[in-house]
Amino acid sequence: MYQNNAMNAYRMAASSSLSDREADAECFRRLIATLESAAHETDVIQRNQALAKNQRLWSLIQRANAVEAGMVETEDRLLFARMADQAQRYGIRAILDPTLSLAPLIDTARNVLEGLEMAISEG
């Protein structure tokens, strides 16, 4: 009896959980919201916290694509690694220069989100 209840609970959780792409899309939605909020504020601490989130997300993407797992084409992995590198470089410049616009980071995140959403709708 207990095992059946546990299996039913697992099935319900698995069926309602996000796919990898949906989870990635949600990460980018949250990043965009955070960056947009920081872009309209004058608070340097909030801006730096948003930029730190940007750096962490792109670092995770870069790390994930540096490892050959055979699931993603090499060309795509190189593209993701290059995007992550550029976003991190710009993020560092934005941390050092509080007058630098966050728009390029927001635009990059939106482009990735649009690609993820298209992939989700196709799949």
Side-chain angles (χ1 to χ4, degrees):
M1 172 90 175
Y2 175 74
Q3 188 174 17
N4 288 338
N5 289 339
M7 284 303 291
N8 288 337
Y10 172 78
R11 283 190 193 114
M12 285 181 57
S15 68
S16 65
S17 65
L18 298 175
S19 71
D20 288 345
R21 285 192 174 153
E22 290 169 332
D24 291 344
E26 185 58 29
C27 288
F28 277 97
R29 278 187 208 99
R30 290 179 185 203
L31 177 63
I32 291 165
T34 301
L35 289 171
E36 285 177 338
S37 177
H40 299 296
E41 292 290 326
T42 57
D43 184 10
V44 175
I45 293 172
Q46 182 183 2
R47 176 185 167 94
N48 285 343
Q49 288 172 340
L51 288 167
K53 287 181 183 181
N54 177 76
Q55 298 300 91
R56 281 192 302 271
L57 178 60
W58 285 109
S59 177
L60 290 169
I61 292 169
Q62 195 169 39
R63 197 173 321 138
N65 285 286
V67 177
E68 171 57 47
M71 297 177 68
V72 179
E73 305 254 345
T74 301
E75 183 178 314
D76 291 339
R77 287 179 39 244
L78 290 172
L79 173 66
F80 295 141
R82 236 185 334 262
M83 286 176 62
D85 181 58
Q86 291 173 353
Q88 287 180 302
R89 286 175 187 258
Y90 191 89
I92 291 168
R93 287 182 40 217
I95 289 169
L96 297 174
D97 181 0
T99 64
L100 199 60
S101 171
L102 300 183
L105 295 174
I106 294 167
D107 290 343
T108 301
R110 278 193 185 126
N111 289 337
V112 173
L113 177 59
E114 288 173 9
L116 288 166
E117 288 174 338
M118 281 188 349
I120 292 167
S121 68
E122 290 173 0

